[in-house]
């Protein structure tokens, strides 16, 4: 959707410039913006290298592990269904710490790893949407085998078929209108995934490194003046996110262990 929006705005700008005789201004602005983009990339690359290096040093020195243990009560409150000692907790903690320090670049790899581990957790819980190579028909046959009038015959017939979404075998779930197997686009995000994503978007930031770098690049005399407003704004957004997640999760049954 964003690609369409950007393409539409560019097309409208060019068409408007053509009708108003400002195509030369559009060309100059495009060239100037390209140069500024390269300069900004170099500036932010230096800041990113500095803070990524500091994060690596902190990790090698054990500081990240200590901070992870320090925020363990927070993780217990936010993610009560993730078992203690699970790898997802470590990646979530690293992502939260990087976000709090304003290191958006450093938190992205940890966030991706956390999502992978949360998906693996759903596999461990037996969620059929996250099991690799599961044939929905076979699963349906197994579930019906113990019910009155139910048989496992259909499941036995399909037990040897590796389910592939949209494949030649045509093994799709017509009732749902979507395929629940892995990679089929029919997965449902778990509560832990939704909570983590909401917190990641609204995360508290003590040091907005990105914005400080941008303000410094564009000639701000006090690039760090944004720290206090940033802390206040992200604190409000984080509190709102936690309250929302807890309200949505209130009274719902526990996930499968």
């Amino acid at each position: 959707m964003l690609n369409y929006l950007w393409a539409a705005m560019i097309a409208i700008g060019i068409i408007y410039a053509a009708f108003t005789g400002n195509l030369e201004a559009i060309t100059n602005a495009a060239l100037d913006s390209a140069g500024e983009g390269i300069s900004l990339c170099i500036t932010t690359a230096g800041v990113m290298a500095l803070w990524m290096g500091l994060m690596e040093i902190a990790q090698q020195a054990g500081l990240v592990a200590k901070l992870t243990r320090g925020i363990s009560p927070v993780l217990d409150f936010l993610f009560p269904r993730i078992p203690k000692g699970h790898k997802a907790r470590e990646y979530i903690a690293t992502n939260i710490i990087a976000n709090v320090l304003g290191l958006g670049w450093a938190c992205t790899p940890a966030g991706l790893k956390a999502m992978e581990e949360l998906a693996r957790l759903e596999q461990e819980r037996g969620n059929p949407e996250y099991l690799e190579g599961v044939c929905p028909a076979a699963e349906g046959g197994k579930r019906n085998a113990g019910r009155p009038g139910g048989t496992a015959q259909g499941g036995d017939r399909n037990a040897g078929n590796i389910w592939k979404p949209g494949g030649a075998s045509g093994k799709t779930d017509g009732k749902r209108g979507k395929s629940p197997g892995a990679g089929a686009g029919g997965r449902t995000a778990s509560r832990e995934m939704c909570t983590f994503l909401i917190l990641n978007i609204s995360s508290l930031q003590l040091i907005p490194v990105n914005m400080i770098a941008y303000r410094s690049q564009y000639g701000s005399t006090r690039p760090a003046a944004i720290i206090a407003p940033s802390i206040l704004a992200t604190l409000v957004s984080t509190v709102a996110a936690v309250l929302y997640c807890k309200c949505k999760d209130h009274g719902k049954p526990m996930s499968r262990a």
Side-chain angles (χ1 to χ4, degrees):
M1 179 58 71
L2 287 178
N3 291 337
Y4 293 116
L5 290 176
W6 281 110
M9 287 191 290
I10 292 173
I12 292 172
I14 294 174
I15 294 172
Y16 181 80
F19 278 101
T20 57
N22 292 318
L23 277 178
E24 183 179 356
I26 288 287
T27 303
N28 293 335
L31 295 175
D32 292 341
S33 297
E36 288 183 8
I38 296 297
S39 179
L40 181 61
C41 286
I42 294 174
T43 301
T44 54
V47 176
M48 179 180 66
L50 170 64
W51 285 100
M52 289 288 289
L54 291 176
M55 282 293 292
E56 184 66 24
I57 293 173
Q59 186 173 7
Q60 294 294 331
L63 180 60
V64 173
K66 291 182 179 178
L67 291 174
T68 300
R69 290 192 296 269
I71 67 172
S72 181
V74 178
L75 296 180
D76 292 338
F77 173 73
L78 295 175
F79 304 96
R81 299 177 182 86
I82 299 181
K84 290 186 177 181
H86 198 277
K87 197 69 175 177
R89 289 172 63 97
E90 178 182 343
Y91 288 123
I92 290 173
T94 303
N95 179 271
I96 291 175
I97 293 169
N99 262 324
V100 169
L101 295 178
L103 308 178
W105 306 289
C107 73
T108 300
L112 295 175
K113 286 291 186 180
M115 281 296 186
E116 291 178 2
E117 292 299 327
L118 290 175
R120 189 170 290 111
L121 178 61
E122 290 303 304
Q123 290 180 354
E124 296 169 1
R125 289 171 172 170
N127 189 337
E129 296 178 1
Y130 288 83
L131 297 178
E132 299 292 341
V134 172
C135 173
E139 288 296 315
K142 293 177 183 178
R143 284 194 297 267
N144 292 328
R147 297 178 183 176
T151 66
Q153 184 177 1
D156 293 338
R157 284 199 302 269
N158 294 312
N161 297 329
I162 299 300
W163 178 74
K164 296 180 181 179
S169 62
K171 297 287 192 271
T172 56
D173 191 346
K175 293 181 180 179
R176 292 186 182 181
K178 61 182 181 178
S179 302
R187 288 179 174 178
T188 302
S190 66
R191 296 174 195 167
E192 292 84 1
M193 290 179 179
C194 294
T195 300
F196 174 64
L197 183 61
I198 293 172
L199 291 174
N200 186 67
I201 295 172
S202 62
S203 176
L204 170 68
Q205 287 193 4
L206 299 180
I207 308 173
V209 178
N210 295 2
M211 293 306 301
I212 291 175
Y214 296 150
R215 286 167 60 86
S216 177
Q217 170 66 20
Y218 289 108
S220 174
T221 57
R222 298 177 58 200
I226 197 175
I227 291 179
S230 175
I231 292 175
L232 179 60
T234 55
L235 177 62
V236 172
S237 65
T238 302
V239 171
V242 172
L243 291 176
Y244 174 80
C245 292
K246 287 301 177 183
C247 287
K248 296 297 288 185
D249 195 44
H250 179 69
K252 293 186 178 180
M254 297 287 285
S255 299
R256 288 169 291 190

